[in-house]
Amino acid sequence: MAIYRNTTKTLQDLLAEAHNSKGATLLIPELQRSFVWEPNQVVRLIDSLIKGWPIGTLLLWSVKKTVADDETGIPCRSFWPIINRVDDEPQSQLPRQEPPANYLMVLDGQQRIQSLMLAFGVDEAGFRLSDSDWFKDADDAKSRGRSSTHWSVGTLCLDVEALADCFEEAEKSITAIDYSKVLKWVVTDSIEGRSNKRRPATYTFPIGKISDGSYVRLSRLWHVASGEEGVSEDSHQTACRPVLESYGID
């Protein structure tokens, strides 16, 4: 009997297994290290994905729970909707089946799957970082000497106006666009999206708010446009139009 089996999965199926309303069945063994990627690495992954570049293979372990297993089974955890690097407060994990009868363990590819979850998974997904770390991630000189007292929660959004400009500059070639100029981490929660400690009047925020420009959550475009294979470009545009219009974008 073969130990290894080559299979393919769509991104839709993969993310559905990592985040399902009935509980995730794509899990991470506790022996795996924590998620270490930075926001700019997530953007680069999505940039490669949009351009059709290879992003590597995954190594998944198919686990079938048996009567002989103890109650706890193999120690594992689910993925996170928000990566919190501000304090020691426990991170909120996506719900998982307890106990799942059949599930998959991610042996190689955790960083990429978690990144895809942060980009496409749920509306509230993103990073909670100190403002100084947000500046560092953008390689911004303002990070020098910046206090880490304040923090912001960034959700990955598409800047529609920037996309239009880059599309023209790239002579209407999707693969020639630099998506680091189009995909932006943005505060989408006006109440919980930033620390509420007092700031000086001259304070510079590292990332903007969704109300500051023509931003659309990438997760919403993903969910309305990621239908069946072979769907035409016109059909994708028709599906996405109501979402764009709800943000005031024609």
Side-chain angles (χ1 to χ4, degrees):
M1 186 177 74
I3 298 177
Y4 298 101
R5 182 163 52 97
N6 292 324
T7 60
T8 59
K9 285 180 178 288
T10 65
L11 285 181
Q12 292 94 326
D13 289 342
L14 192 69
L15 295 183
E17 291 172 353
H19 179 219
N20 189 299
S21 60
K22 297 180 180 180
T25 55
L26 180 62
L27 305 171
I28 309 168
E30 284 292 359
L31 58 86
Q32 290 269 23
R33 64 175 178 168
S34 298
F35 182 69
V36 298
W37 279 23
E38 302 296 335
N40 64 76
Q41 291 175 284
V42 176
V43 170
R44 289 201 295 270
L45 176 68
I46 304 306
D47 177 87
S48 297
L49 191 65
I50 294 174
K51 292 176 178 176
W53 294 348
I55 60 171
T57 58
L58 305 173
L59 180 59
L60 306 179
W61 176 22
S62 179
V63 181
K64 294 184 178 180
K65 193 174 182 64
T66 66
V67 177
D69 290 337
D70 59 33
E71 293 183 0
T72 57
I74 302 170
C76 57
R77 63 181 186 270
S78 53
F79 290 89
W80 298 279
I82 294 180
I83 300 300
N84 176 18
R85 293 177 180 162
V86 173
D87 48 41
D88 295 329
E89 186 177 309
Q91 298 189 104
S92 175
Q93 294 181 347
L94 293 167
R96 74 182 195 191
Q97 290 185 15
E98 291 288 357
N102 300 292
Y103 54 102
L104 295 170
M105 290 279 203
V106 181
L107 300 183
D108 182 55
Q110 177 209 162
Q111 306 294 317
R112 284 166 287 159
I113 296 174
Q114 178 66 76
S115 295
L116 294 171
M117 288 297 304
L118 295 175
F120 302 129
V122 291
D123 277 356
E124 65 271 17
F127 284 89
R128 184 185 183 198
L129 304 179
S130 67
D131 285 1
S132 60
D133 283 342
W134 278 116
F135 278 121
K136 289 176 183 176
D137 181 75
D139 195 24
D140 195 312
K142 296 185 182 69
S143 65
R144 298 171 186 171
R146 176 69 63 179
S147 170
S148 60
T149 301
H150 297 289
W151 52 261
S152 302
V153 178
T155 296
L156 194 57
C157 292
L158 178 72
D159 186 335
V160 178
E161 290 185 358
L163 177 62
D165 292 339
C166 290
F167 189 58
E168 291 299 324
E169 292 176 4
E171 298 181 349
K172 299 185 178 181
S173 171
I174 293 294
T175 57
I177 293 175
D178 179 0
Y179 286 93
S180 66
K181 298 179 180 178
V182 172
L183 298 173
K184 304 293 183 182
W185 295 97
V186 177
V187 174
T188 58
D189 189 329
S190 59
I191 299 175
E192 301 293 337
R194 284 175 173 160
S195 54
N196 56 14
K197 296 179 181 179
R198 186 182 298 276
R199 296 175 173 84
T202 57
Y203 191 84
T204 300
F205 292 100
I207 56 176
K209 297 184 298 183
I210 197 167
S211 58
D212 292 339
S214 54
Y215 297 114
V216 181
R217 287 178 174 89
L218 195 60
S219 60
R220 295 193 179 181
L221 289 176
W222 165 262
H223 287 300
V224 299
S226 59
E228 299 178 359
E229 293 184 9
V231 176
S232 68
E233 182 66 24
D234 287 343
S235 297
H236 279 310
Q237 291 180 7
T238 300
C240 291
R241 186 169 292 114
V243 178
L244 296 173
E245 290 176 348
S246 70
Y247 282 82
I249 300 167
D250 297 328

